Amino acid sequence: MTHYTGLINRYRNRLPVSANTRIISLNEGNTPLIQLQNIPRIIGKEVDIYVKFEGLNPTGSFKDRGMTMAVTKAVEAGSQAIICASTGNTSASAAAYAARAGIKAFVLIPEGKIALGKLAQTLMYDAKIIQISGNFDRGMTLVKEVADHAPVTIVNSINPFRIDGQKTAAFEIVDALGFAPDYHCLPVGNAGNITAYWKGYKEYATDRVCGNRPVMCGYQAAGAAPFVLGEMVDNPETVATAIRIGHPQSWDFAWAAQRESGGWFDKFADEDILAAQKMLSQYEGIFCEPASATSLAGAMRDIKSGKIPEGSKIVCTLTGNGIKDPEIAMMQCADAKPVTIDASLDAVKRAILDGL
Ligand code: F0G
């Protein structure tokens, strides 16, 4: 068995690197594709649902796939610093890969709107954190402006190398299943990921690695749903802070994915997103962050309604790890406080009997 050394090495012939490129990697990718066992039974439909658990990447989100490529190419071009706007995951990933490469990371984040774990990890990776009193979309505008005036490389998904790295998730799914799913469900924020998956599936289908391409289903939070409304949203709001985005950068690419695949966009109330997050934890043992659960909320609704027919094979991307957002988890479980007892055998025995 050979030691896994990250997605650039694995998919080198499909990525823009040469034999001389210094690869900046944390062994990202190769994440598990887990078939759900209990949720299909609970919703009472004959479907195969798989989740691609991207929360098991090195910094806990799918962003690492794009970041290994973006930082590798930035370093290859001689860049000494990278910059991004972020709702938390891109900033954590950029910070980690910059640390690995020995360059500087500047990250612009919306003040007070970043999950605690994301902030903690970004601090640990020692990025220069710039909080703004504005949302992600404002941060994105500022990043694009400042990059014209300062020697920094943008590593948001407007950087095409990010998309190239992230398309490998589609390759891994096809390589694991032996075919592309009938439906691919994922949360949509800035719309880089739906762009990347569609690029990956198309590439594999064109090269006849698989005979089919999935229908792409993009799901958004109701308060931040520009693709469902068909227009940009100026003040996006949702508990799923990762996708609190109203002006997605990959607007045209995401519409192309929807159109070419025969797919659709839909939106979900915060309660539905949180319910899906809890179901996945409670019935499958998989803890993702709120934004990620939007994919399952969407799949469940569309399976129940028959829009996704029985017999379908469905993949949901779980974009980030639930541990990143402990505050939401504690809020969700506010009624399930741990019991406190005496440290005695009797008390423990009683607690177990009560809990059975
Ligand atoms: N899920 C999570 C956990 C995310 O962090 C993001 C985006 C998305 C879904 C949406 O993906 O933007 O490619 O459509 N987070 C970015 C960030 C914006 O800054 O971390 P997308």
Side-chain angles (χ1 to χ4, degrees):
M1 214 184 90
T2 50
H3 173 54
Y4 179 80
T5 55
L7 60 85
I8 294 182
N9 279 334
R10 177 159 180 200
Y11 293 109
R12 182 173 265 285
N13 59 342
R14 295 186 176 276
L15 293 169
V17 289
S18 76
N20 298 324
T21 307
R22 177 186 160 213
I23 309 295
I24 311 299
S25 172
L26 291 163
N27 296 11
E28 58 295 307
N30 200 25
T31 54
L33 185 67
I34 308 166
Q35 184 165 9
L36 300 188
Q37 294 181 340
N38 300 314
I39 288 178
R41 192 166 30 80
I42 292 166
I43 59 182
K45 297 281 188 181
E46 280 293 326
V47 282
D48 288 342
I49 310 176
Y50 299 85
V51 293
K52 181 71 170 157
F53 194 15
E54 292 289 277
L56 295 181
N57 274 297
T59 77
S61 87
F62 73 98
K63 304 289 181 179
D64 296 343
R65 289 184 186 276
M67 210 54 73
T68 183
M69 270 306 303
V71 175
T72 290
K73 295 303 281 186
V75 168
E76 188 174 50
S79 180
Q80 292 294 316
I82 57 175
I83 190 166
C84 65
S86 182
T87 56
N89 280 326
T90 301
S91 48
S93 188
Y97 283 80
R100 184 80 163 164
I103 62 174
K104 267 201 152 24
F106 296 93
V107 307
L108 266 75
I109 57 173
E111 186 186 4
K113 296 293 182 181
I114 299 290
L116 189 63
K118 300 174 189 179
L119 193 57
Q121 61 183 148
T122 307
L123 286 164
M124 285 300 286
Y125 298 134
D126 211 21
K128 176 81 184 156
I129 301 179
I130 304 163
Q131 298 203 85
I132 59 165
S133 51
N135 61 24
F136 168 85
D137 300 308
R138 180 72 192 128
M140 197 63 244
T141 303
L142 288 167
V143 161
K144 288 195 283 189
E145 282 172 11
V146 82
D148 290 337
H149 302 280
V152 286
T153 303
I154 299 177
V155 294
N156 282 103
S157 55
I158 56 171
N159 179 329
F161 298 125
R162 279 276 311 277
I163 304 297
D164 274 326
Q166 285 173 214
K167 75 181 178 181
T168 61
F171 298 164
E172 287 181 15
I173 289 166
V174 174
D175 290 344
L177 294 176
F179 49 81
D182 301 313
Y183 295 86
H184 190 110
C185 304
L186 77 172
V188 174
N190 210 22
N193 214 23
I194 190 169
T195 301
Y197 271 97
W198 186 236
K199 186 174 186 192
Y201 282 127
K202 277 201 300 190
E203 189 176 318
Y204 255 22
T206 302
D207 293 347
R208 303 244 172 273
V209 183
C210 53
N212 64 320
R213 308 186 308 191
V215 171
M216 299 298 293
C217 308
Y219 300 119
Q220 303 206 280
F227 287 105
V228 183
L229 302 176
E231 61 186 17
M232 302 293 178
V233 172
D234 282 339
N235 293 302
E237 228 18 286
T238 169
V239 70
T241 50
I243 50 172
R244 187 174 167 271
I245 295 170
H247 289 245
Q249 296 296 311
S250 294
W251 181 254
D252 293 338
F253 290 127
W255 282 112
Q258 176 269 327
R259 216 176 32 248
E260 291 167 22
S261 74
W264 57 82
F265 295 107
D266 203 351
K267 62 180 168 43
F268 294 83
D270 283 355
E271 303 86 76
D272 297 335
I273 294 171
L274 294 179
Q277 184 199 21
K278 185 71 170 65
M279 273 186 82
L280 205 46
S281 303
Q282 182 174 359
Y283 297 115
E284 302 285 355
I286 301 168
F287 184 26
C288 68
E289 64 173 289
S292 311
T294 312
S295 61
L296 182 69
M300 288 196 299
R301 182 191 286 175
D302 289 336
I303 291 165
K304 279 187 204 160
S305 75
K307 197 170 181 182
I308 295 179
E310 288 201 85
S312 296
K313 297 186 188 317
I314 303 140
V315 171
C316 295
T317 303
L318 300 180
T319 45
N321 198 306
I323 298 171
K324 283 174 173 272
D325 201 340
E327 289 167 315
I328 293 292
M330 293 307 280
M331 185 203 77
Q332 286 240 56
C333 302
D335 296 337
K337 284 269 157 51
V339 289
T340 307
I341 56 162
D342 287 343
S344 72
L345 181 58
D346 266 358
V348 176
K349 280 203 305 209
R350 231 175 303 122
I352 289 171
L353 287 175
D354 284 351
L356 282 176

